Amino acid sequence: MIKWIHSLFSSPKTEENTDHIKPEVHEHHKNNIKSMSNKFLIVGLGNIGAEYVNTRHNIGFKILDHLAKKESLSFETLKLGALAQYKFKGRTFLLLKPNTYMNLSGKAVQYWMDKENIPLENLFVITDDLNLSFGTIRIKPKGSDGGHNGLKNINLVLNTNQYTRFRFGISDEFKKGKQIDYVLGDWDDAEKVALPERLETASEIIKSFGTAGLENTMTTYNGK
């Protein structure tokens, strides 16, 4: 069990160089059908199980849950994850919470991209980030895994790091040797007070990505 928990994490301070990953066009992009261009796969990263629900590492799940509750959506447990469909301004957003555990997230992402003909540019991955202060938002069109095993596995399975990721800062306010306890721990009291507003902003970011586009979304929300 201890070995499994340790396998979920790698050092937040050392970004693994993933520049060697070929920025090749994903098969879904090559076969993109114009009529499907308004469909987006929004992936919130996290771990399944009641013990993880309110942990910092599950912010991806929490953001999707917030949007689903706000819009009266229901998640259905399907292959490799829980899925909810949200229609907004002519776009279809598929909200995915993989049930593969964090370090196998790529398997679920690839399966649903294949099944729904999602082009790579319409993939949006939400993850926690220890290197950003609490609630800080950073949206990027590509990049390294930053020491995050969920992103690492997605990069490996898709054979590219050229997809949009939304990093939500959880800060690194933990004592030496306590990283796992911190990441798998609950939010502190101050964070719990601030979290609802951050979740609301995150929900707006998802909608903006599909309607206003990536560049406008980055300009509007990065650093806020």
Side-chain angles (χ1 to χ4, degrees):
M1 180 65 180
I2 297 299
K3 289 183 179 179
W4 173 81
I5 291 177
H6 278 278
S7 73
L8 291 176
F9 308 97
S10 53
S11 172
K13 297 300 183 182
T14 303
E15 288 208 359
E16 180 175 322
N17 183 3
T18 57
D19 292 338
H20 66 283
I21 296 179
K22 297 178 181 179
E24 62 185 42
V25 179
H26 194 269
E27 195 65 29
H28 310 288
H29 185 80
K30 295 177 184 176
N31 298 329
N32 184 24
I33 302 172
K34 187 175 182 180
S35 63
M36 301 298 288
S37 63
N38 285 335
K39 185 182 287 188
F40 300 84
L41 182 63
I42 313 298
V43 183
L45 297 186
N47 287 309
I48 59 172
E51 67 270 35
Y52 299 112
V53 170
N54 292 312
T55 63
R56 295 179 176 90
H57 208 35
N58 267 42
I59 188 61
F61 280 15
K62 200 169 189 67
I63 289 171
L64 295 191
D65 285 339
H66 178 83
L67 177 58
K69 182 177 181 180
K70 178 182 178 182
E71 302 296 338
S72 300
L73 308 175
S74 296
F75 280 95
E76 182 180 3
T77 300
L78 298 170
K79 185 171 181 178
L80 299 178
L83 197 73
Q85 182 171 283
Y86 173 49
K87 292 185 179 294
F88 179 71
K89 291 188 176 180
R91 277 72 166 179
T92 298
F93 298 83
L94 299 176
L95 312 181
L96 174 66
K97 297 189 294 183
N99 63 12
T100 55
Y101 287 105
M102 188 71 77
N103 58 351
L104 293 176
S105 299
K107 185 176 181 181
V109 172
Q110 183 179 57
Y111 174 80
W112 285 101
M113 288 182 73
D114 287 341
K115 183 174 176 59
E116 297 293 335
N117 282 321
I118 305 292
L120 189 63
E121 66 267 25
N122 285 12
L123 172 63
F124 190 77
V125 178
I126 307 169
T127 180
D128 59 304
D129 195 320
L130 283 163
N131 296 307
L132 300 175
S133 59
F134 168 78
T136 299
I137 290 165
R138 183 169 296 167
I139 305 157
K140 297 177 67 176
K142 60 181 179 179
S144 72
D145 57 63
H148 193 286
N149 280 339
L151 294 177
K152 185 182 297 183
N153 188 250
I154 293 172
N155 290 353
L156 178 65
V157 173
L158 297 186
N159 194 33
T160 183
N161 58 13
Q162 310 288 303
Y163 59 88
T164 304
R165 68 282 313 278
F166 166 16
R167 296 177 184 264
F168 184 101
I170 63 171
S171 78
D172 60 354
E173 299 299 318
F174 56 87
K175 296 179 180 179
K176 185 176 180 180
K178 295 295 183 179
Q179 177 184 331
I180 293 175
D181 292 339
Y182 177 79
V183 174
L184 292 182
D186 198 356
W187 308 94
D188 65 30
D189 290 341
E191 290 169 339
K192 288 177 182 177
V193 171
L195 199 54
E197 184 275 333
R198 294 285 80 192
L199 294 176
E200 184 64 23
T201 297
S203 295
E204 293 304 310
I205 288 171
I206 292 171
K207 293 188 283 187
S208 176
F209 174 67
T211 56
L214 175 58
E215 293 297 329
N216 288 331
T217 301
M218 289 193 298
T219 299
T220 302
Y221 292 101
N222 268 346
K224 295 186 178 180

